C-alpha cells in the first residue's frame, strides 16, 4: 500500500451558496485539476487514482458534472473564485494548478487573481488568446442551437473534433464515457460556460508574471482545437517553461493517454518540488 488515501467525493459550498462536487485522493502537495468544456472531473480519473505523492483535488465546475447548476454566475473569473474557495475549504493556502482547455483559461485567471497561491502551473491543450469576433459569433450560434435542440447533437459533432485518431476507436474506455459525460451537462451550465469563454479576457500579460512559477505546457500531438504550434508559442512565452507533446492524443490528453499524462505530471511536479 502507498500513500494514497482512498478517493472520495465531498460537496463543498463556495460563493453564493453554490455547492460543488469535489473528488480528492492521496496525500502530499495539493494539485488542483481543472476540467474543460463540456466535461467534468472524471477526465482526471487516471490521475486521481495514480498520481502518487500528491493530494489530488478535482472539482466539477459550477454547472457541470454533479455540481450545482445555478442560473447565473458564469464567468472565467467566477470559476477561478470558486476554486480559490475550494482550496480554502480543503485547507490549502497554495497548490499546483493544472487546467485543460477551458480549465487552462481558468488556471490562468487563477494566477491573475491569486498568484501567491500558485506553486506550479500546468497548461494542457489550451490557449492564452481571447476569442476573436468570429469565435464569439460561433459561441452564440452554438448556444442558440443548444437552446433549440439540446446539447445532444452538438456533443455528436464535438466527439470527432476532440479526439485523436487512435482514441476514436477506444469505444469502451474513451468514446462512450466521453459521450455520456458531455451529454449529461445541464443546458444552463453548458450555456453559462459558452458565455464565460466568449467573454473571457486574453492572458498574454499573465504569462509575463509567471517567472518564478514552474510551468509545464502539455498538448496532444493531434490536437486540432489548440494545436501543438499554439502550445509551442505558449511555452516559448514563459521563461523556463517546459513543453511536452503527447503522441496519439487529440485535445483530451488525460483521458486519451492517461498513463502518459499521469507520468508527465508526476515527473514535472516531483522535479520542481512545489511548496505548499
Ligand atoms: C474546452 O475543451 O474546454 C473547449 O473546447 C475550449 C474552447 O471551446 O475554447
Amino acid at each position: 500500500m502507498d500513500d494514497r488515501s482512498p478517493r472520495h467525493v465531498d460537496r463543498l459550498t463556495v460563493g453564493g451558496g453554490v455547492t460543488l462536487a469535489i473528488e480528492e485522493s492521496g496525500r502530499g502537495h495539493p494539485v488542483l485539476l481543472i476540467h474543460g468544456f463540456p466535461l467534468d472531473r472524471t477526465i482526471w480519473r487516471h490521475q486521481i487514482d495514480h498520481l502518487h505523492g500528491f493530494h489530488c483535488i478535482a472539482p466539477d465546475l459550477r454547472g457541470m458534472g454533479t455540481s450545482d447548476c445555478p442560473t447565473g454566475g458564469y464567468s472565467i473569473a467566477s470559476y477561478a473564485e470558486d476554486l480559490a474557495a475550494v482550496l480554502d475549504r480543503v485547507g490549502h493556502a497554495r497548490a499546483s494548478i493544472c487546467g485543460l482547455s477551458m480549465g487552462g483559461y481558468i488556471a490562468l485567471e487563477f494566477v491573475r487573481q491569486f498568484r501567491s497561491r500558485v506553486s506550479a502551473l500546468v497548461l494542457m491543450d489550451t490557449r492564452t488568446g481571447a476569442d476573436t469576433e468570429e469565435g464569439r459569433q460561433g459561441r452564440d450560434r452554438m448556444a442558440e442551437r443548444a437552446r433549440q435542440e439540446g446539447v445532444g447533437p452538438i456533443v455528436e459533432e464535438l466527439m470527432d473534433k476532440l479526439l485523436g485518431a487512435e482514441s476514436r476507436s477506444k469505444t469502451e474506455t474513451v468514446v462512450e464515457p466521453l459521450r455520456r459525460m458531455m451529454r449529461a451537462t445541464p443546458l444552463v451550465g453548458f450555456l453559462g460556460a459558452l458565455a464565460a469563454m466568449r467573454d473571457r479576457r486574453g492572458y498574454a500579460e499573465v504569462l509575463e508574471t509567471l517567472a518564478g512559477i514552474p510551468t509545464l505546457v502539455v498538448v496532444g500531438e493531434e490536437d486540432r482545437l489548440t494545436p501543438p504550434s499554439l502550445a509551442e508559442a505558449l511555452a516559448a512565452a514563459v521563461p523556463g517553461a517546459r513543453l511536452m507533446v503527447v503522441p496519439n492524443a487529440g485535445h483530451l490528453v488525460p483521458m486519451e493517454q492517461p498513463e502518459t499524462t499521469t507520468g508527465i505530471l508526476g515527473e514535472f511536479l516531483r522535479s520542481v518540488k512545489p511548496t505548499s
Side-chain angles (χ1 to χ4, degrees):
M1 202 52 204
D2 58 20
D3 67 343
R4 313 295 290 166
S5 67
R7 81 163 125 98
H8 60 279
V9 181
D10 278 333
R11 293 196 73 86
L12 302 179
T13 303
V14 295
V18 172
T19 70
L20 302 183
I22 316 288
E23 188 157 351
E24 293 176 75
S25 69
R27 293 192 188 89
H29 174 77
V31 182
L32 183 62
L33 299 166
I34 315 172
H35 65 76
F37 164 84
L39 305 169
D40 67 27
R41 66 177 190 274
T42 62
I43 66 160
W44 305 110
R45 170 59 51 234
H46 192 276
Q47 292 74 47
I48 291 168
D49 288 345
H50 299 282
L51 188 60
H52 295 245
F54 297 95
H55 176 193
C56 292
I57 306 159
D60 283 341
L61 296 170
R62 61 168 64 204
M64 288 189 253
T66 55
S67 285
D68 280 0
C69 187
T71 52
Y74 296 94
S75 67
I76 298 299
S78 60
Y79 291 124
E81 285 152 18
D82 286 349
L83 298 183
V86 166
L87 286 189
D88 293 341
R89 301 288 177 283
V90 298
H92 291 300
R94 287 160 62 82
S96 291
I97 310 291
C98 171
L100 175 117
S101 198
M102 185 180 94
Y105 313 155
I106 299 167
L108 287 163
E109 174 65 25
F110 193 97
V111 174
R112 196 182 73 81
Q113 290 195 52
F114 310 107
R115 190 186 181 286
S116 64
R117 304 192 70 171
V118 181
S119 308
L121 180 66
V122 183
L123 297 169
M124 285 190 189
D125 298 294
T126 194
R127 65 175 78 235
T128 54
D131 276 4
T132 60
E133 186 47 38
E134 193 190 348
R136 282 194 277 270
Q137 287 169 9
R139 304 273 191 209
D140 287 342
R141 279 195 300 277
M142 189 184 279
E144 189 47 34
R145 192 163 165 221
R147 277 188 209 97
Q148 302 287 336
E149 302 172 23
V151 301
I154 299 172
V155 164
E156 291 314 311
E157 283 171 19
L158 283 176
M159 294 292 303
D160 269 0
K161 292 191 186 143
L162 291 172
L163 298 176
E166 184 185 293
S167 308
R168 290 200 286 274
S169 63
K170 293 181 183 167
T171 311
E172 304 258 307
T173 54
V174 179
V175 174
E176 284 312 318
L178 176 62
R179 175 175 278 126
R180 275 195 300 277
M181 185 192 317
M182 293 201 291
R183 290 184 77 104
T185 306
L187 179 62
V188 170
F190 190 93
L191 297 175
L194 277 175
M197 291 191 287
R198 178 197 61 200
D199 298 337
R200 77 185 188 281
R201 63 173 67 229
Y203 289 100
E205 85 282 5
V206 171
L207 298 186
E208 289 159 21
T209 72
L210 287 177
I213 298 181
T215 300
L216 170 69
V217 178
V218 181
V219 67
E221 190 176 26
E222 299 166 43
D223 186 342
R224 283 177 286 160
L225 300 182
T226 48
S229 56
L230 268 188
E232 278 161 28
L234 170 47
V238 180
R242 303 179 200 177
L243 171 68
M244 293 296 296
V245 180
V246 178
N248 297 319
H251 189 61
L252 300 179
V253 289
M255 279 189 89
E256 295 182 70
Q257 294 298 338
E259 292 87 359
T260 304
T261 305
T262 303
I264 286 171
L265 257 181
E267 199 179 308
F268 169 69
L269 291 171
R270 277 186 283 276
S271 75
V272 299
K273 299 186 179 51
T275 51
S276 305

